[in-house]
Amino acid sequence: QVQVVESGGGLVQPGGSLRLSCAASGFTFSNYDMNWYRQAPGKERELVATITRFGGSTNYADSVKGRFTISRENAKNTVYLQMNSLKPEDTAVYYCNAKSPYSAKYNYWGQGTQVTVSS
């Protein structure tokens, strides 16, 4: 059974940091590119960060470049999103996504974790 479970969200003040984790099971984690998306109230879901199967390449939305870092530990079937210098506009539900580079059929989502940046 495929499971993708995010954790680490919460309430943080502007300028603060959070680290999100995403634990995956039920599929061969190292065969999948991993993505973090977010969705703020009233807005469309947007891609925040991507990391390829073995971590050789990462990409970020312009809005988070220099502040967020995506990483993965294939031995632990886990991907992380380190978020620094958080801003109120980073407030959203953050979703972890596993996407096969070989077939669009294999695309898994977590349930999301809420991140709120507020004083």
Side-chain angles (χ1 to χ4, degrees):
Q1 181 182 359
V2 171
Q3 286 193 312
V4 178
V5 181
E6 302 96 336
S7 61
L11 173 64
V12 63
Q13 291 187 342
S17 298
L18 279 176
R19 188 174 84 152
L20 305 183
S21 299
C22 170
S25 61
F27 59 96
T28 304
F29 184 75
S30 59
N31 284 350
Y32 286 72
D33 296 334
M34 297 299 296
N35 306 295
W36 285 98
Y37 285 78
R38 68 185 180 187
Q39 188 166 20
K43 294 188 177 182
E44 293 188 355
R45 190 173 296 190
E46 66 168 336
L47 178 61
V48 174
T50 296
I51 188 165
T52 52
R53 294 181 301 141
F54 296 102
S57 179
T58 57
N59 282 289
Y60 299 92
D62 287 343
S63 58
V64 307
K65 278 182 183 176
R67 300 188 298 121
F68 290 11
T69 302
I70 188 171
S71 61
R72 65 190 295 164
E73 288 190 76
N74 286 351
K76 295 184 178 181
N77 288 359
T78 302
V79 62
Y80 306 97
L81 186 67
Q82 177 68 42
M83 305 185 294
N84 298 329
S85 303
L86 283 161
K87 304 175 181 180
E89 51 263 44
D90 294 318
T91 295
V93 178
Y94 283 71
Y95 296 92
C96 180
N97 167 251
K99 186 173 182 180
S100 170
Y102 307 113
S103 172
K105 174 182 177 181
Y106 302 104
N107 191 15
Y108 308 124
W109 291 88
Q111 82 290 347
T113 186
Q114 176 71 46
V115 171
T116 303
V117 184
S118 175
S119 55

